[in-house]
Amino acid sequence: ADGKVVDGSLLGDANGVDPAPGRVKDSGKWQKPRFSRKALMKCCLVKWIIASTQPQDKDSSDSDLELSTVRHQPEGLDQLQAQTKFTRKELQSLYRGFKNECPSGMVDEETFKTIYSQFFPQGDATTYAHFLFNAFDIDRNGSIRFEDFVIGLSVLLRGSVTEKLNWAFNLYDINKDGYITKEEMLAIMKSIYDMMGRYTYPCVRDEAPYEHVDKFFQKMDKNRDGVVTIEEFIETCQKEIQ
């Protein structure tokens, strides 16, 4: 929200100063972790990716995506390879991991929240996971298909600057009307602070999310009409990273 969307910084210090990466123990207190957008997006998928790297009894090279055990059948491998920046072998590996966790071939929101919350036991990740789920749920049908998952992951890991910014804007634009309002940004910021939990140092002040949103709009809302458009968002972010 400070314009550092591409390198991942969603959240600085509660007082507006970026903390050091990781959590460093200082005089018995934990410093606040620096959550990058990339890290946040990837962590809920770690279980799938780790599972996909385990040795397989069967040779996957002679088969496309293994469809016999799932109710939802994803697009063919060639089509997904054309839509993403993953190789054929990477897609096969990702699919194995996805299927291990989600045999139905789809992830509903409650399952997604459960997986995501495991990585933030110190806080409540439920609300942020809800917003993240909606960003991945491309066709808005209440479930994340393998195609949704892999297309979003491709953008986050290997997309261009513009592609990543468009994805980030979609996350912030909760009602998908093409604008980011202060209410939407505040909801996102509060969910991130809730996810971080109380065990942070320095302690997060109650007014910190509001200050973060104000700072965001001071930078982004060029015409001061109270909303941020995709054009304003991309223009400001690109200037920040130059």
Side-chain angles (χ1 to χ4, degrees), residues 98-114:
F98 187 95
K99 190 179 69 173
N100 285 342
E101 288 295 327
C102 310
S104 69
M106 297 183 289
V107 185
D108 61 28
E109 185 170 343
E110 291 307 310
T111 302
F112 185 87
K113 287 178 179 178
T114 299

Side-chain angles (χ1 to χ4, degrees), residues 10-60:
L10 267 182
L11 199 60
D13 183 90
N15 298 309
V17 178
D18 283 340
R23 292 191 293 183
V24 181
K25 199 172 185 181
D26 179 18
S27 303
K29 295 182 178 180
W30 289 105
Q31 290 184 353
K32 184 194 302 183
R34 176 175 178 174
F35 290 107
S36 69
R37 178 168 54 88
K38 190 171 182 180
L40 289 174
M41 298 307 302
K42 289 172 63 179
C43 68
C44 62
L45 311 172
V46 168
K47 285 183 65 179
W48 293 332
I49 296 174
I50 289 178
S52 73
T53 62
Q54 302 303 312
Q56 303 293 316
D57 295 331
K58 60 195 298 186
D59 182 9
S60 62

Side-chain angles (χ1 to χ4, degrees), residues 97-182:
F98 187 95
K99 190 179 69 173
N100 285 342
E101 288 295 327
C102 310
S104 69
M106 297 183 289
V107 185
D108 61 28
E109 185 170 343
E110 291 307 310
T111 302
F112 185 87
K113 287 178 179 178
T114 299
I115 294 174
Y116 201 82
S117 295
Q118 293 174 10
F119 295 90
F120 298 93
Q122 76 279 12
D124 181 2
T126 303
T127 304
Y128 187 79
H130 166 74
F131 295 139
L132 198 57
F133 180 89
N134 286 340
F136 267 102
D137 183 12
I138 298 173
D139 53 12
R140 314 291 294 166
N141 67 352
S143 62
I144 299 175
R145 306 170 302 158
F146 177 69
E147 297 97 310
D148 302 332
F149 160 68
V150 79
I151 289 172
L153 192 62
S154 176
V155 170
L156 292 170
L157 298 182
R158 299 177 184 176
S160 66
V161 170
T162 301
E163 288 172 335
K164 290 177 180 178
L165 290 174
N166 273 286
W167 204 99
F169 184 90
N170 179 60
L171 172 65
Y172 293 137
D173 180 15
I174 296 174
N175 66 0
K176 313 305 178 193
D177 65 351
Y179 302 95
I180 300 175
T181 65
K182 282 192 173 183

Side-chain angles (χ1 to χ4, degrees), residues 179-185 213 216-218 220-229 232:
Y179 302 95
I180 300 175
T181 65
K182 282 192 173 183
E183 291 75 17
E184 287 174 321
M185 180 54 63
V213 171
F216 175 93
F217 270 81
Q218 286 172 11
M220 296 283 181
D221 186 11
K222 300 297 184 182
N223 61 0
R224 299 293 184 260
D225 63 351
V227 296
V228 173
T229 65
E232 289 174 322

